[in-house]
Amino acid sequence: MRSATVLLSSLLLPFTGAVVAQAKPTGSTVTVYRCTDAGGKQSLRDTPCPKGQQQQAREMLRPQDAPKPKPVPVPTPAPGPVVATPEVRTVYLAPPRPMYECTTPDGDRYTSENGEGNPRWVPLWTLGYHAVGRPTRSTGSGLAQAPLQPAGPMRPPHGGLHRPMVGGGGTWIRDQCAMLPPRETCNRLRDRRDAIRTRFFNAQEKERDALRLEERGINTRLADDCGGR
């Protein structure tokens, strides 16, 4: 009823003077009635006019709902290239291993890995020790023994460490060593590797095995402490 009323409100064209006979609506048409009362007021309706009113009828197409649009299939996006997730690696950097330069009493220099110079056996008198002539009781040989006493502070030459050993005439001391800067350590390692490669061509097979082992250790240390070069 409401949809027909909305449609009829737009149909304001004058009807023909002749009254059109009422027709039965079909599935695709509808009959519209134009009614005029005694006062001349007109109205449109989809049912016959009441008694006492002038009636005009017109058959029109029945309004139909627009067909529902078919759903548009959403295209499935093509699979993109598989991007591999980068592997995260945690690298722990160890501090560079130090190298030391040691000096012998004669002024010769050499390198050490642990900072301890080569040990040397020296007589105690070179360290300032001498026998003090304090009388003691005689022994069976008839000679009086006088113990050794330091003449001053016990300071080994060249700043080396002293380690008293068994054997009353001397002691062990070590050469003095100083730690090299990291850059100088890397330079010394490269120099040693060059010397190994030069020596390798003239070395015997047994010596070559030792040189290969030493060079492999130097390369590992250069990679860890000196950027691999």
Side-chain angles (χ1 to χ4, degrees), residues 51-120:
K51 290 182 179 182
Q53 293 187 7
Q54 184 180 0
Q55 175 178 290
Q56 294 178 341
R58 174 173 291 182
E59 188 174 354
M60 305 182 66
L61 294 177
R62 180 182 297 274
Q64 298 181 358
D65 296 334
K68 295 182 179 180
K70 295 181 179 180
V72 179
V74 179
T76 303
V82 179
V83 179
T85 303
E87 181 182 0
V88 178
R89 294 184 178 182
T90 303
V91 180
Y92 297 93
L93 298 178
R97 287 174 292 174
M99 179 179 288
Y100 301 85
E101 184 179 64
C102 304
T103 306
T104 66
D106 298 332
D108 297 331
R109 299 178 183 272
Y110 60 93
T111 57
S112 172
E113 297 290 339
N114 54 17
E116 295 185 359
N118 295 333
R120 295 180 288 110

Side-chain angles (χ1 to χ4, degrees), residues 4 29 49 54 70 73 84 86 91 97 132 153 160 174-175 180 193 226:
T29 60
C49 299
Q54 184 180 0
K70 295 181 179 180
V91 180
R97 287 174 292 174
V132 178
R174 292 183 176 273
D175 296 332
L180 295 171
R193 184 177 60 181
C226 305

